[in-house]
Amino acid sequence: MSEPTDQKIVHIHRYEARNIMGIKHITVHPVKVGVTKIGGANGSGKSSSINSLFWAFGGKPPEEMPIRKGQTEAIVEVDLSDGLYCKRRFWIDDKGETKTELQFGRKDDTGFQKYTSPQSTLDRLMSKMPDPFEFSRLPAKEQIEMLKGLLKIDTSAIDNKKAEAFEDRKMVKKELAALEAKTRDLPEYPDAPTEELSAADLSAKLTAAHEHNAAVVEAGRQVEIAQHRVVAAKEVIDRKEGEVKELEARIDALKAELPAMREKLQEFVNMEASKASEAKTLKTVDIEELDNQFESLETVNRQVRSNKAKADARAEWKTAEAKRVALQKVIDDMDMLKKKCLSEAVASAKLPVDDLDINEEDGTMSIAGIPFSQVNTAKVMEICVALAVHGQPTLRIFRIDEGSNLDRATMASIQKLGEKYYAQFLVEVVSELEDIKNGAQGPDVFLIEGEAVDLVGDGRGRNLTREETIL
């Protein structure tokens, strides 16, 4: 047997409920399109009558017992167009537990043919939003989530990528703060050299300087020695010449010694000149400056290290800042991509509004710049109904609670929406029998103590026209 498809809209012709919550027995014939009002005084069973229909289709009943007190079984039967039939039965088993059973299929001349997967078939036929105005009552963020679900907008990949970038950016921000503190706390010495001084190099220079200075001193000492020798040699010559004068007898012997002595003298004179010339080229090294450098060595090196640490911290900060900027761009790109995705999905849904703006970041929706919560009721209703029928549900039956709060213009708008979208609305209204007797407009179905009252005698529970038709 073929299942109903989305190509054909299915309407509810009739539904009947027995012993459901506050309902004893009711039969409702909803109008084919538009509004069917379910009315009665408070506690008459209005909510239960509407709930029973949606429970029949698989809506979850309340935690408490769905069966009317004092009964052991409750049944809801629904006749739909195209020969479709649905029956939901609740009963209490031998253990006192509430059980449920669903039948869904098609009736024809050959009998009743069940669907093998009745609940999944019904789920496919039904709108995901049986109460269209539930959307308008939700907080803004929940509205956005519901809208995404109805329009089948999946931004999880975008959300995940944004979340990863957000977490990475949070870590980079912490790193930036630490680097800023590190850079701020490190002292800086503009006059310090770029590299640390080497104690070994400085020590070697100092040793070489000492050795050099010792050589200079030794050269001076050698000059003095040579000078003393010259003086001594002159004295010897003078003495010898005196002796020559005094000792004529020894002149020949002394003259024989003179050439050698003169050669020796010339050697000493040459040595004196050489040492004097060498001494003139040598200068002493300022040992005090090297000693001062030794004393300030650690201070200078500490300054060099501090400057390098500060430069490294600045470089790390720049790298981290570049990461933060890149991650921020990823987050901004994901926001733009998500906004584009949402806008395209809304546009493709062909909602009755052209300028719906969704800002998921701050959880707001607006139409032409006006917050959704401030949009006029008629426009909100049209949007809600359009969302409810989005995806072309085959069974377009919806409920509206607290219909008594709606004025005639709003009710007329709902009727027009039903005609536009081929939808049926069950609207719960508070109605008093005395008011109806006095000429007030009655509901399509009027309930008293869980039972429908025939107000006009036609068996369909229409508006009261004559007082004698009441029961």
Side-chain angles (χ1 to χ4, degrees):
M1 178 183 61
S2 63
E3 296 185 355
T5 67
D6 293 342
Q7 303 302 315
K8 180 181 291 186
I9 297 176
V10 175
H11 296 93
I12 295 176
H13 291 325
R14 178 193 73 91
Y15 74 89
E16 184 176 357
R18 297 184 182 87
N19 299 324
I20 292 286
M21 297 291 284
I23 294 298
K24 294 179 182 176
H25 180 210
I26 62 165
T27 301
V28 179
H29 297 80
V31 295
K32 186 174 182 179
V33 291
V35 174
T36 299
K37 296 180 183 178
I38 310 293
N42 290 329
S44 61
K46 303 184 299 299
S47 298
S48 295
S49 67
I50 297 176
N51 288 337
S52 64
L53 175 64
F54 289 94
W55 292 344
F57 290 145
K60 186 178 180 181
E63 295 298 329
E64 63 266 22
M65 176 74 67
I67 302 173
R68 184 178 177 85
K69 187 177 181 180
Q71 304 297 318
T72 58
E73 182 183 63
I75 294 176
V76 184
E77 296 180 271
V78 187
D79 290 319
L80 304 99
S81 58
D82 199 28
L84 294 173
Y85 171 79
C86 174
K87 180 179 180 180
R88 173 77 67 175
R89 174 174 171 253
F90 299 97
W91 77 95
I92 301 174
D93 65 8
D94 296 337
K95 298 180 180 179
E97 297 179 355
T98 302
K99 301 293 184 180
T100 182
E101 175 187 45
L102 172 64
Q103 295 180 14
F104 183 54
R106 180 175 279 114
K107 288 182 177 180
D108 55 25
D109 295 338
T110 62
F112 178 61
Q113 300 178 18
K114 298 180 181 179
Y115 291 118
T116 55
S117 302
Q119 189 60 68
S120 61
T121 303
L122 275 170
D123 291 342
R124 185 173 59 82
L125 299 181
M126 290 286 291
S127 168
K128 300 299 185 291
M129 195 165 72
D131 179 0
F133 302 121
E134 175 190 0
F135 182 81
S136 65
R137 296 189 293 269
L138 291 174
K141 288 189 176 181
E142 293 183 26
Q143 285 179 336
I144 293 174
E145 289 304 312
M146 177 176 280
L147 181 65
K148 288 169 63 180
L150 292 170
L151 302 184
K152 297 180 180 179
I153 302 173
D154 183 7
T155 60
S156 57
I158 297 174
D159 292 336
N160 290 338
K161 189 170 182 179
K162 178 182 176 181
E164 289 175 4
F166 187 84
E167 288 301 317
D168 289 344
R169 186 188 66 176
K170 185 165 36 173
M171 296 300 294
V172 169
K173 280 186 174 181
K174 289 182 179 179
E175 183 180 353
L176 280 171
L179 289 171
E180 286 174 356
K182 180 179 179 182
T183 304
R184 183 178 59 251
D185 295 340
L186 283 171
E188 188 171 14
Y189 306 94
D191 298 330
T194 58
E195 298 293 336
E196 291 190 45
L197 300 178
S198 170
D201 291 345
L202 190 57
S203 178
K205 287 181 180 180
L206 186 59
T207 300
H210 279 298
E211 291 176 352
H212 177 80
N213 290 349
V216 172
V217 172
E218 177 61 22
R221 192 177 69 82
Q222 292 296 327
V223 171
E224 290 178 358
I225 291 172
Q227 289 174 344
H228 286 307
R229 286 179 177 176
V230 168
V231 172
K234 286 181 178 180
E235 290 177 351
V236 169
I237 290 172
D238 290 342
R239 188 171 61 253
K240 292 295 183 182
E241 287 178 347
E243 290 176 357
V244 167
K245 290 178 180 180
E246 292 176 356
L247 302 171
E248 289 293 332
R250 297 180 61 191
I251 290 176
D252 292 338
L254 292 174
K255 283 182 178 181
E257 294 180 5
L258 282 175
M261 294 298 294
R262 287 192 178 98
E263 288 179 6
K264 199 67 175 176
L265 173 63
Q266 188 60 47
E267 181 183 342
F268 290 149
V269 170
N270 292 341
M271 182 182 295
E272 176 193 10
S274 174
K275 294 297 182 182
S277 176
E278 183 180 343
K280 287 180 181 179
T281 63
L282 298 174
K283 294 183 180 180
T284 60
V285 175
D286 187 358
I287 302 298
E288 184 178 358
E289 175 63 22
L290 292 174
D291 286 336
N292 291 337
Q293 288 187 29
F294 246 120
E295 292 177 0
S296 62
L297 176 68
E298 182 52 34
T299 299
V300 172
N301 287 347
R302 186 172 62 252
Q303 293 176 353
V304 170
R305 289 193 295 271
S306 179
N307 287 350
K308 283 189 174 182
K310 196 175 189 75
D312 291 344
R314 283 173 176 162
E316 290 177 14
W317 184 90
K318 287 182 180 179
T319 302
E321 175 63 11
K323 286 182 183 178
R324 184 198 67 78
V325 171
L327 290 169
Q328 184 61 52
K329 186 177 185 304
V330 171
I331 292 172
D332 293 341
D333 289 347
M334 291 303 101
D335 286 338
M336 291 296 294
L337 181 61
K338 191 171 186 178
K339 189 170 184 178
K340 180 182 178 183
C341 179
L342 292 171
S343 298
E344 290 177 350
V346 170
S348 65
K350 298 181 179 180
L351 298 178
V353 58
D354 296 327
D355 43 10
L356 175 63
D357 181 64
I358 301 173
N359 189 333
E360 193 169 9
E361 191 66 24
D362 58 10
T364 61
M365 288 197 308
S366 61
I367 298 176
I370 301 174
F372 189 77
S373 59
Q374 299 177 19
V375 176
N376 67 74
T377 304
K379 177 60 71 175
V380 169
M381 283 194 306
E382 188 173 6
I383 294 172
C384 290
V385 173
L387 287 173
V389 300
H390 179 74
Q392 302 296 315
T394 303
L395 182 54
R396 301 183 180 183
I397 179 71
F398 304 104
R399 64 181 300 160
I400 299 177
D401 300 325
E402 300 178 1
S404 298
N405 295 331
L406 305 178
D407 58 21
R408 289 185 179 181
T410 303
M411 198 70 77
S413 297
I414 297 174
Q415 176 63 33
K416 289 181 181 179
L417 291 172
E419 295 168 358
K420 177 179 180 179
Y421 293 106
Y422 302 99
Q424 296 173 291
F425 294 94
L426 298 180
V427 182
E428 179 182 339
V429 297
V430 176
S431 300
E432 297 291 345
L433 185 57
E434 289 301 319
D435 293 338
I436 298 173
K437 287 181 179 181
N438 292 328
Q441 179 74 19
D444 298 297
V445 178
F446 187 76
L447 299 177
I448 297 178
E449 296 182 356
E451 293 186 294
V453 176
D454 184 3
L455 298 180
V456 295
D458 65 354
R460 296 176 64 85
R462 296 301 172 191
N463 295 332
L464 176 69
T465 56
R466 302 191 311 275
E467 182 175 341
E468 59 270 18
T469 63
I470 301 176
L471 295 181

